[in-house]
Structures are given as C-alpha cells and as structure tokens.
Amino acid sequence: MSKERDYYFEQYQDRKMKKWAGFYLSEHTAIIEQEKKRQPPEKKRQMSWAEIDEVLAQAFQNQVEVIIQKEELDGEGNYGADIIGRIQGHDELGIYVDSQKVGYDEIRHVHLH
C-alpha cells in the first residue's frame, strides 16, 4: 500500500490551488489592516446644558453645520460616529440634523463645523 501512495504523490500535479490561497490571504490581510485603521471616535468633553444650548442656537441662527457626539455607547463601550449636518428644525424634545432627530438629552458634545 505504501508503494501506491508514493506513486500517487509522484504523479500528482498541482492545479494551482496555491494561487487561490495566496489571493484569499492578501484579501484577508487587507481587511485586517482596514479594521486596525478604523479607530473608535474619541470621548469628547461632557458639555453643560447651557453650553450646548448656546452652540445650537448659534448654529441654527447662522445655518452653520454642527458636529454632535451622542451620549450612547456601542456594545464595546465606544462612542458612535459623530453626527454632522445643519439643524433643520427643533421641538421640545430635540433637534433635527438633516433628516435625523437627536434628543436634547442624548447630546454629549456639540461644536460648530
């Protein structure tokens, strides 16, 4: 039986599967590098309600874009991506930044863009 096995490996010709393994590896490596570069947003200073109100009023009056960090954390304890846009309107519960509603109590930090 050993002779049959040796014969098989002597006659075996590679079908270039190594090429595909290398291709997968390079794609996998690229994805890992992208993940490393993607850093979670930094924790910004908690602003007082008076500071937040002042910045929001200024942005609304002058139609300037704002950058808002919400108080919510993801499953890993990181803050989400900043919300960037113009304030389109407001009500008693929050503001509308472009088409997204942000509650006043959700705002951790806001500054003009």
Side-chain angles (χ1 to χ4, degrees):
M1 187 174 267
S2 161
K3 289 182 181 182
E4 290 176 7
R5 182 177 171 152
D6 291 340
Y7 178 76
Y8 172 78
F9 285 111
E10 288 173 10
Q11 299 302 315
Y12 175 76
Q13 291 184 355
D14 183 24
R15 295 185 180 179
K16 307 300 181 211
M17 293 303 288
K18 291 180 182 179
K19 175 179 78 174
W20 294 106
F23 182 71
Y24 171 77
L25 183 60
S26 66
E27 280 187 348
H28 185 71
T29 304
I31 291 170
I32 291 172
E33 289 300 318
Q34 285 177 348
E35 289 294 321
K36 286 181 184 176
K37 289 179 184 177
R38 190 180 342 177
Q39 296 294 325
E42 67 181 51
K43 178 180 178 180
K44 296 178 181 166
R45 177 180 68 86
Q46 175 69 56
M47 296 174 73
S48 69
W49 171 241
E51 292 173 310
I52 293 171
D53 187 45
E54 183 179 326
V55 173
L56 292 178
Q58 184 179 10
F60 186 69
Q61 290 171 355
N62 299 323
Q63 282 302 292
V64 178
E65 284 189 332
V66 292
I67 300 174
I68 297 174
Q69 183 175 59
K70 291 173 71 173
E71 187 58 60
E72 66 187 21
L73 300 173
D74 65 12
E76 297 175 0
N78 298 317
Y79 287 94
D82 291 341
I83 298 169
I84 302 172
R86 284 184 169 52
I87 300 174
Q88 303 297 318
H90 59 89
D91 60 22
E92 64 277 352
L93 299 176
I95 59 173
Y96 296 90
V97 178
D98 292 336
S99 62
Q100 183 176 355
K101 182 161 185 181
V102 180
Y104 294 124
D105 60 342
E106 296 177 305
I107 300 173
R108 174 180 181 75
H109 185 92
V110 62
H111 63 274
L112 302 177
H113 188 240

